[in-house]
Amino acid sequence: MRATRDFEDYELLDCSGGEKLERWGRWVLARPDPQIIWETPKGPQWARCSARYHRSSAGGGSWEFIDLPQKEWEVSWRELRFKISPTGFKHTGLFPEQAVNWAFLQEHIRQAKRELQILNLFAYTGGATLAAASAGAKVCHVDASKGIVSWARENAERSGLSGRPVRWIVDDCQKFVEREIRRGVRYDGIILDPPSYGRGPGGEVWQLEEKIYPLLQLLCGVLSDEPSFVMLSSYTAGLSAQVMQYLLSVTVGRRFGGRAEAEEIGLPVTESGLILPCGSTAIWTA
């Protein structure tokens, strides 16, 4: 398992009873996580909680702000800066376990012998986009939510990267790729972190298990003649690391050769010294 260990502004303090206790910079938040099925003792540090997200029996949920004096603040990872703000769906605007993938992107892009053109799909608030741009790549950032793309652009400004060559696109990812193929646009690397379920700006339904294989087949048509990498992440329990490796091998790998590898990713838990699994990432490289 690959675990995030160099994120000084983030710490997974403890996890028990369906909740994880996290430090985001100065503030400590408690959020639900259904995979935390153990009931280990909750120590005094849980009293430090500044805000807690409560699930509703009717679906969704809401935040209880205990002593959180501000609804948004900033955290840093390496040279990058991100706005953190608790949202109505328990999220904060960042998935810290993805920092292991940001580190891969920076190293891989900096070692390339050329300027890479990168396509980031389901790009959320821009963690991977900023990592790639900071390493010298040109990036096309695509997400279906206008508000989320605006948040990503704000993170780029906070990180001093607003002058980097990044295209910010609000669109359904599959439809955008289809248009890029027709336009003859090609990319050297692709990042995709699709949701398990979602809807596009026109009401398009996205179901991961049904859509991911045809999307990977489609993406082969937007890769350059000498592609460098494809990175696929998933939080879906039914989509194991080995399944994702297989998917990349029979799509991108069958077309371009190279090698696909996959592992779970996770976050170290300070209290127990163990690692909380947070999904998987498969990476194909030429």
Side-chain angles (χ1 to χ4, degrees):
M1 180 181 292
R2 299 161 58 227
T4 293
R5 299 186 183 276
D6 66 341
F7 204 152
E8 294 183 1
D9 273 358
Y10 175 86
E11 182 181 6
L12 179 50
L13 299 168
D14 196 11
C15 52
S16 178
E19 289 186 302
K20 52 188 176 184
L21 187 71
E22 306 165 288
R23 178 181 61 80
W24 295 86
R26 294 176 55 193
W27 311 115
V28 175
L29 309 179
R31 296 190 292 161
D33 188 325
Q35 71 175 333
I36 301 171
I37 59 175
W38 47 90
E39 296 282 351
T40 49
K42 291 185 175 181
Q45 61 186 339
W46 286 81
R48 295 174 52 195
C49 181
S50 299
R52 170 175 268 113
Y53 188 87
H54 298 281
R55 287 200 181 277
S56 168
S57 58
S62 60
W63 284 94
E64 174 193 4
F65 296 106
I66 302 166
D67 62 354
L68 191 67
Q70 55 198 87
K71 297 298 176 65
E72 63 179 57
W73 62 98
E74 186 176 283
V75 299
S76 302
W77 177 80
R78 295 186 178 176
E79 71 274 27
L80 306 181
R81 308 286 182 268
F82 301 99
K83 181 181 80 172
I84 300 300
S85 181
T87 72
F89 296 98
K90 86 171 182 176
H91 298 306
T92 63
L94 205 65
F95 294 104
E97 66 275 6
Q98 286 292 322
V100 292
N101 292 330
W102 306 338
F104 164 84
L105 289 168
Q106 287 190 332
E107 180 179 1
H108 186 86
I109 291 167
R110 285 170 178 156
Q111 289 179 352
K113 306 284 187 195
R114 55 198 167 109
E115 183 181 62
L116 299 181
Q117 305 272 351
I118 307 299
L119 175 62
N120 187 10
L121 301 173
F122 311 97
Y124 197 47
T125 58
T129 293
L130 301 192
S134 68
K138 291 184 177 180
V139 186
C140 181
H141 174 111
V142 185
D143 197 277
S145 168
K146 182 178 180 180
I148 289 297
V149 173
S150 295
W151 193 334
R153 297 189 72 158
E154 182 178 343
N155 285 336
E157 292 172 3
R158 289 171 179 263
S159 300
L161 295 172
S162 55
R164 290 293 303 158
V166 179
R167 294 170 61 201
W168 305 100
I169 306 293
V170 179
D171 204 349
D172 174 80
C173 289
Q174 180 167 327
K175 290 182 177 179
F176 177 79
V177 171
E178 291 169 348
R179 285 196 296 273
E180 291 290 85
I181 291 173
R182 291 195 296 268
R183 288 189 286 247
V185 180
R186 299 294 180 262
Y187 297 91
D188 304 304
I190 297 176
I191 306 159
L192 60 160
D193 189 3
S196 299
Y197 177 85
R199 288 187 179 272
E204 304 88 350
V205 175
W206 168 270
Q207 188 76 39
L208 182 62
E209 289 87 348
E210 296 177 2
K211 300 289 189 179
I212 189 60
Y213 176 64
L215 178 59
L216 288 171
Q217 289 181 306
L218 183 68
L219 288 174
C220 289
V222 82
L223 283 167
S224 67
D225 292 336
E226 296 183 1
S228 181
F229 73 91
V230 175
M231 174 185 288
L232 168 65
S233 294
S234 172
Y235 305 93
T236 303
L239 206 62
S240 70
Q242 288 70 33
V243 168
M244 292 164 61
Q245 179 182 16
Y246 201 101
L247 281 166
L248 283 182
S249 297
V250 298
T251 52
V252 182
R254 185 161 291 175
R255 171 84 173 267
F256 295 99
R259 176 182 178 85
E261 298 180 339
E263 286 186 86
E264 284 189 288
I265 60 175
L267 293 166
V269 182
T270 301
E271 177 65 24
S272 66
L274 302 172
I275 298 175
L276 178 68
C278 300
S280 301
T281 296
I283 304 175
W284 172 88
T285 51

